[in-house]
Tab-separated table of all heavy atoms in Angstrom:
chain	number	residue	atom	x	y	z
A	135	ALA	N	-18.747	3.527	-14.747
A	135	ALA	CA	-19.396	4.109	-13.567
A	135	ALA	C	-18.409	4.985	-12.811
A	135	ALA	O	-18.768	6.042	-12.291
A	135	ALA	CB	-19.915	2.994	-12.668
A	136	SER	N	-17.163	4.548	-12.749
A	136	SER	CA	-16.147	5.333	-12.042
A	136	SER	C	-15.906	6.666	-12.709
A	136	SER	O	-15.823	7.715	-12.068
A	136	SER	CB	-14.832	4.544	-11.968
A	136	SER	OG	-13.826	5.299	-11.334
A	137	PHE	N	-15.828	6.673	-14.050
A	137	PHE	CA	-15.630	7.916	-14.786
A	137	PHE	C	-16.851	8.831	-14.654
A	137	PHE	O	-16.723	10.050	-14.557
A	137	PHE	CB	-15.339	7.642	-16.254
A	137	PHE	CG	-13.911	7.263	-16.513
A	137	PHE	CD1	-13.560	5.975	-16.891
A	137	PHE	CD2	-12.880	8.185	-16.336
A	137	PHE	CE1	-12.252	5.626	-17.118
A	137	PHE	CE2	-11.561	7.845	-16.565
A	137	PHE	CZ	-11.237	6.556	-16.942
A	138	ASN	N	-18.045	8.222	-14.655
A	138	ASN	CA	-19.262	9.047	-14.507
A	138	ASN	C	-19.287	9.712	-13.152
A	138	ASN	O	-19.703	10.863	-13.005
A	138	ASN	CB	-20.502	8.155	-14.673
A	138	ASN	CG	-20.735	7.767	-16.113
A	138	ASN	OD1	-20.197	8.372	-17.034
A	138	ASN	ND2	-21.549	6.760	-16.333
A	139	THR	N	-18.856	8.993	-12.116
A	139	THR	CA	-18.795	9.538	-10.764
A	139	THR	C	-17.811	10.683	-10.697
A	139	THR	O	-18.071	11.735	-10.105
A	139	THR	CB	-18.424	8.452	-9.751
A	139	THR	OG1	-19.376	7.396	-9.787
A	139	THR	CG2	-18.331	9.037	-8.339
A	140	ALA	N	-16.650	10.479	-11.329
A	140	ALA	CA	-15.622	11.523	-11.324
A	140	ALA	C	-16.108	12.763	-12.042
A	140	ALA	O	-15.854	13.891	-11.640
A	140	ALA	CB	-14.337	11.003	-11.972
A	141	ALA	N	-16.840	12.544	-13.150
A	141	ALA	CA	-17.341	13.684	-13.937
A	141	ALA	C	-18.404	14.462	-13.174
A	141	ALA	O	-18.588	15.667	-13.401
A	141	ALA	CB	-17.914	13.185	-15.249
A	142	ALA	N	-19.100	13.802	-12.262
A	142	ALA	CA	-20.176	14.469	-11.520
A	142	ALA	C	-19.667	15.273	-10.340
A	142	ALA	O	-20.371	16.122	-9.806
A	142	ALA	CB	-21.177	13.425	-11.015
A	143	LYS	N	-18.410	15.082	-9.934
A	143	LYS	CA	-17.908	15.721	-8.723
A	143	LYS	C	-17.893	17.233	-8.793
A	143	LYS	O	-18.186	17.890	-7.809
A	143	LYS	CB	-16.514	15.194	-8.405
A	143	LYS	CG	-16.520	13.809	-7.762
A	143	LYS	CD	-15.149	13.393	-7.305
A	143	LYS	CE	-15.195	12.038	-6.634
A	143	LYS	NZ	-13.876	11.597	-6.202
A	144	PRO	N	-17.512	17.879	-9.927
A	144	PRO	CA	-17.497	19.325	-9.959
A	144	PRO	C	-18.841	19.945	-9.592
A	144	PRO	O	-18.877	21.027	-9.047
A	144	PRO	CB	-17.107	19.639	-11.405
A	144	PRO	CG	-16.289	18.482	-11.813
A	144	PRO	CD	-16.948	17.311	-11.168
A	145	ALA	N	-19.944	19.256	-9.887
A	145	ALA	CA	-21.253	19.802	-9.592
A	145	ALA	C	-21.521	19.889	-8.092
A	145	ALA	O	-22.347	20.682	-7.633
A	145	ALA	CB	-22.340	18.953	-10.269
A	146	THR	N	-20.821	19.083	-7.284
A	146	THR	CA	-21.050	19.060	-5.857
A	146	THR	C	-19.958	19.771	-5.072
A	146	THR	O	-19.992	19.810	-3.856
A	146	THR	CB	-21.135	17.598	-5.342
A	146	THR	OG1	-19.887	16.965	-5.593
A	146	THR	CG2	-22.233	16.849	-6.046
A	147	ILE	N	-19.002	20.375	-5.800
A	147	ILE	CA	-17.870	20.986	-5.099
A	147	ILE	C	-18.292	22.133	-4.202
A	147	ILE	O	-17.713	22.371	-3.149
A	147	ILE	CB	-16.795	21.460	-6.104
A	147	ILE	CG1	-15.560	21.931	-5.367
A	147	ILE	CG2	-17.322	22.550	-7.016
A	147	ILE	CD1	-14.390	22.239	-6.259
A	148	ALA	N	-19.372	22.866	-4.585
A	148	ALA	CA	-19.795	24.030	-3.809
A	148	ALA	C	-20.153	23.608	-2.387
A	148	ALA	O	-19.838	24.345	-1.439
A	148	ALA	CB	-20.974	24.696	-4.475
A	149	THR	N	-20.849	22.524	-2.227
A	149	THR	CA	-21.256	22.086	-0.907
A	149	THR	C	-20.174	21.328	-0.188
A	149	THR	O	-20.176	21.259	1.052
A	149	THR	CB	-22.515	21.201	-0.995
A	149	THR	OG1	-22.228	20.094	-1.851
A	149	THR	CG2	-23.681	21.981	-1.568
A	150	GLU	N	-19.221	20.757	-0.933
A	150	GLU	CA	-18.183	19.965	-0.288
A	150	GLU	C	-17.006	20.804	0.192
A	150	GLU	O	-16.466	20.552	1.248
A	150	GLU	CB	-17.657	18.894	-1.262
A	150	GLU	CG	-18.678	17.807	-1.554
A	150	GLU	CD	-18.123	16.773	-2.512
A	150	GLU	OE1	-17.011	16.975	-3.027
A	150	GLU	OE2	-18.826	15.766	-2.754
A	151	ASN	N	-16.566	21.785	-0.607
A	151	ASN	CA	-15.356	22.505	-0.292
A	151	ASN	C	-15.525	24.034	-0.306
A	151	ASN	O	-15.098	24.726	0.591
A	151	ASN	CB	-14.234	22.141	-1.269
A	151	ASN	CG	-13.880	20.672	-1.209
A	151	ASN	OD1	-13.601	20.169	-0.125
A	151	ASN	ND2	-13.901	20.005	-2.327
A	152	LEU	N	-16.123	24.552	-1.336
A	152	LEU	CA	-16.201	25.991	-1.535
A	152	LEU	C	-17.631	26.507	-1.418
A	152	LEU	O	-18.575	25.765	-1.609
A	152	LEU	CB	-15.654	26.342	-2.932
A	152	LEU	CG	-14.280	25.816	-3.298
A	152	LEU	CD1	-13.926	26.171	-4.710
A	152	LEU	CD2	-13.222	26.319	-2.324
A	153	THR	N	-17.719	27.792	-1.121
A	153	THR	CA	-19.052	28.406	-1.096
A	153	THR	C	-19.531	28.589	-2.538
A	153	THR	O	-18.761	28.545	-3.492
A	153	THR	CB	-19.013	29.783	-0.399
A	153	THR	OG1	-18.235	30.681	-1.211
A	153	THR	CG2	-18.406	29.683	0.971
A	154	GLU	N	-20.830	28.841	-2.655
A	154	GLU	CA	-21.394	29.036	-3.992
A	154	GLU	C	-20.736	30.224	-4.690
A	154	GLU	O	-20.457	30.190	-5.892
A	154	GLU	CB	-22.904	29.240	-3.883
A	154	GLU	CG	-23.597	29.372	-5.218
A	154	GLU	CD	-25.106	29.502	-5.100
A	154	GLU	OE1	-25.614	29.277	-3.965
A	154	GLU	OE2	-25.784	29.811	-6.090
A	155	ARG	N	-20.498	31.285	-3.954
A	155	ARG	CA	-19.884	32.478	-4.541
A	155	ARG	C	-18.429	32.180	-4.969
A	155	ARG	O	-17.993	32.644	-6.034
A	155	ARG	CB	-19.873	33.624	-3.522
A	155	ARG	CG	-19.262	34.907	-4.040
A	155	ARG	CD	-20.048	35.464	-5.219
A	155	ARG	NE	-21.172	36.279	-4.788
A	155	ARG	CZ	-22.092	36.759	-5.591
A	155	ARG	NH1	-22.063	36.495	-6.883
A	155	ARG	NH2	-23.092	37.472	-5.121
A	156	GLU	N	-17.709	31.412	-4.194
A	156	GLU	CA	-16.328	31.063	-4.528
A	156	GLU	C	-16.284	30.239	-5.824
A	156	GLU	O	-15.397	30.394	-6.662
A	156	GLU	CB	-15.659	30.332	-3.379
A	156	GLU	CG	-15.307	31.250	-2.198
A	156	GLU	CD	-15.031	30.501	-0.916
A	156	GLU	OE1	-15.218	29.256	-0.879
A	156	GLU	OE2	-14.641	31.159	0.071
A	157	VAL	N	-17.260	29.350	-5.962
A	157	VAL	CA	-17.355	28.549	-7.192
A	157	VAL	C	-17.632	29.465	-8.384
A	157	VAL	O	-17.043	29.303	-9.458
A	157	VAL	CB	-18.443	27.488	-7.066
A	157	VAL	CG1	-18.699	26.807	-8.408
A	157	VAL	CG2	-18.048	26.432	-6.030
A	158	GLU	N	-18.516	30.436	-8.206
A	158	GLU	CA	-18.827	31.381	-9.308
A	158	GLU	C	-17.582	32.145	-9.697
A	158	GLU	O	-17.302	32.290	-10.908
A	158	GLU	CB	-19.917	32.362	-8.849
A	158	GLU	CG	-21.297	31.757	-8.731
A	158	GLU	CD	-22.322	32.777	-8.260
A	158	GLU	OE1	-22.003	33.569	-7.334
A	158	GLU	OE2	-23.421	32.812	-8.820
A	159	VAL	N	-16.805	32.623	-8.724
A	159	VAL	CA	-15.585	33.343	-9.022
A	159	VAL	C	-14.592	32.485	-9.771
A	159	VAL	O	-13.994	32.897	-10.774
A	159	VAL	CB	-14.966	33.896	-7.718
A	159	VAL	CG1	-13.569	34.482	-8.005
A	159	VAL	CG2	-15.873	34.970	-7.098
A	160	LEU	N	-14.438	31.247	-9.314
A	160	LEU	CA	-13.487	30.342	-9.983
A	160	LEU	C	-13.923	30.023	-11.396
A	160	LEU	O	-13.093	29.945	-12.315
A	160	LEU	CB	-13.378	29.022	-9.180
A	160	LEU	CG	-12.192	28.876	-8.258
A	160	LEU	CD1	-12.189	27.516	-7.590
A	160	LEU	CD2	-10.869	29.092	-8.998
A	161	ASN	N	-15.215	29.837	-11.611
A	161	ASN	CA	-15.715	29.581	-12.968
A	161	ASN	C	-15.393	30.753	-13.902
A	161	ASN	O	-14.984	30.549	-15.056
A	161	ASN	CB	-17.222	29.344	-12.940
A	161	ASN	CG	-17.559	27.895	-12.645
A	161	ASN	OD1	-16.880	26.988	-13.113
A	161	ASN	ND2	-18.618	27.655	-11.887
Side-chain angles (χ1 to χ4, degrees):
S136 178
F137 279 111
N138 286 343
T139 300
K143 283 186 178 180
T146 62
I147 187 173
T149 57
E150 291 180 355
N151 298 307
L152 308 177
T153 67
E154 184 176 349
R155 180 64 85 187
E156 287 163 353
V157 170
E158 288 179 318
V159 171
L160 261 182
N161 274 322

